[in-house]
Amino acid sequence: MRVRFTAEDIARVRFAARPAPLAELNAAFMMLLVGGGELLHGRWRRRVLGSLPDAVAPLADLVPAGDPPRFLDVLGETPAEGLDLVEAAPAGLVRSELERIYAGRRAPRWIRELHAGEKGARRVLRRAQQAAFETVAAPVWPLVQDLHRAEFTRHALTVAEHGIGAALQALVPGTRLRDGVWEWAAPDSAAAEREIRPAGRGLVLLPTFHWTGRPLVQDLPDRPVVVTYAAGPGLPLTPDLAPGTEESLAAVLGRTRLDLLRALTTPHTTTSLARRLGISNATASSHASALRGAGLVTTTRAGRAVEHRRTALGDLLLGPVVGVRPTPELRPGVAPGAGQAGTTPGVRRL
């Protein structure tokens, strides 16, 4: 994946001053539908899906094959501004995108009305997005704002101390900026062929705190290119618990699994873990298996026993709780190979 800059483009790279409500909502829906493992996100996913009101249902009609229309790609610094931008999307873009996602399919009535430009259909879409934001994102919005301010400060310091090139490379592990080209490996051959040219439109860096996978890119005509990247703690955001605390980790992993992960400051066999935690060998093995499935633990055979070790991702997740220093090549919330499938509404994977 390559982003080819001109000198003008480099001068117009900017960091989003504030989080974008609808972009964060899109990231949350991405995690609901395709991202995150059962261990870390299963409870959150079931809770959110179970709480969605009926008014949100029309949004499902916009992803008949998992590929949503690009007119949902908006920034906007408030929910109302984002909703206004979607409602004001050019009629030609709305028609062409609906025709693309419904090619060969029978569209629901309200989608046909949206295609015809009826204002009532646009109001249906606005109500659905507003209800979704109020249910999914609004309860954690103060936390999103705090996280964004911290990420903004971190980025500003990197630019001030090391320059924009170092700042871009710090956003996504494995990237490099060379001869005006920002590039990194893509997860599949189709994406690997893609090249983006801002061509004077500018580029906006937008952190998201729900998504944990690879960067996502918005590249629409006559708009700045937007690169959305995972900057969150790797855990579901909840209104009552700050991510990275012992309570939030225990709520997601379970107390015994958290204790097991903390115990792996040094390698342990299943027997020594069971003894240390006061549980049976079978229970210790089961919990270690669950953590291994989430990429937090590795297990290797050591003679007649098996030995469990905490991975770099496990260190990263546990770092705020026990002061573990994460491996430099990993960013918070980005697991190796995470998020390689799927796209969020209106964005495509880099």
Side-chain angles (χ1 to χ4, degrees):
M1 184 66 221
R2 296 181 179 88
V3 180
R4 189 172 295 277
F5 293 112
T6 64
E8 181 184 3
D9 293 328
I10 288 288
R12 299 188 66 185
V13 172
R14 65 182 179 89
F15 194 95
R18 297 175 183 82
L22 292 194
E24 194 67 35
L25 176 65
N26 289 345
F29 270 93
M30 180 78 160
M31 291 302 297
L32 283 173
L33 298 175
V34 301
E38 172 65 20
L39 179 61
L40 297 182
H41 290 84
R43 296 180 188 178
W44 170 81
R45 184 178 292 111
R46 288 188 292 274
R47 176 179 61 79
V48 172
L49 289 174
S51 67
L52 292 176
D54 292 342
V56 176
L59 295 182
D61 294 332
L62 290 171
V63 285
D67 186 13
R70 296 189 301 162
F71 60 78
L72 297 181
D73 268 357
V74 296
L75 294 180
E77 295 183 352
T78 67
E81 184 179 346
L83 293 168
D84 288 344
L85 289 170
V86 173
E87 193 167 1
L93 177 63
V94 173
R95 285 195 300 270
S96 63
E97 283 298 290
L98 292 178
E99 289 166 5
R100 178 180 64 82
I101 66 173
Y102 269 97
R105 298 181 177 87
R106 173 70 174 173
R109 178 178 177 179
W110 87 272
I111 292 290
R112 299 196 300 272
E113 293 171 350
L114 186 63
H115 181 270
E118 296 188 17
K119 292 183 178 180
R122 293 212 177 198
R123 287 194 293 268
V124 168
L125 174 57
R126 185 185 183 103
R127 284 195 299 269
Q129 289 189 293
Q130 183 169 355
F133 179 83
E134 290 174 353
T135 304
V136 179
V140 296
W141 198 244
L143 179 56
V144 170
Q145 291 173 312
D146 288 344
L147 290 169
H148 188 98
R149 280 191 288 269
E151 181 69 6
F152 185 97
T153 301
R154 186 194 68 79
H155 177 78
L157 289 173
T158 303
V159 172
E161 294 176 355
H162 305 290
I164 186 64
L168 287 174
Q169 293 177 96
L171 294 182
V172 184
T175 68
R176 63 181 180 180
L177 180 64
R178 184 176 62 181
D179 298 329
V181 179
W182 186 25
E183 62 181 5
W184 61 93
D188 55 67
S189 57
E193 300 298 324
R194 194 174 182 201
E195 180 171 287
I196 295 172
R197 295 175 181 262
R201 291 174 293 154
L203 184 142
V204 179
L205 303 170
L206 179 67
T208 175
F209 307 99
H210 282 86
W211 177 237
T212 63
R214 292 179 180 270
L216 308 158
V217 62
Q218 301 172 7
D219 183 19
L220 295 177
D222 303 319
R223 298 187 193 178
V225 175
V226 180
V227 174
T228 303
Y229 67 95
L235 292 173
L237 302 185
T238 60
D240 53 336
L241 294 173
T245 65
E246 183 168 343
E247 291 79 10
S248 63
L249 282 170
V252 173
L253 297 177
R255 172 57 60 181
T256 302
R257 288 174 182 167
L258 174 58
D259 289 343
L260 189 152
L261 195 61
R262 292 179 61 165
L264 290 177
T265 303
T266 58
H268 279 275
T269 65
T270 302
T271 300
S272 64
L273 278 175
R275 186 180 302 115
R276 178 165 180 168
L277 300 178
I279 57 180
S280 70
N281 281 13
T283 300
S285 177
S286 175
H287 287 318
S289 177
L291 294 171
R292 185 169 60 252
L296 305 178
V297 167
T298 61
T299 301
T300 56
R301 181 158 294 281
R304 298 178 63 183
V306 293
E307 194 171 69
H308 308 286
R309 298 171 183 267
R310 197 163 59 208
T311 64
L313 180 61
D315 286 348
L316 189 63
L317 191 66
L318 208 55
V321 176
V322 298
V324 175
R325 292 181 62 84
T327 305
E329 56 268 22
L330 289 177
R331 285 187 48 79
V334 183
Q340 294 183 5
T343 56
T344 199
V347 300
R348 300 180 184 277
R349 285 180 286 111
L350 284 176

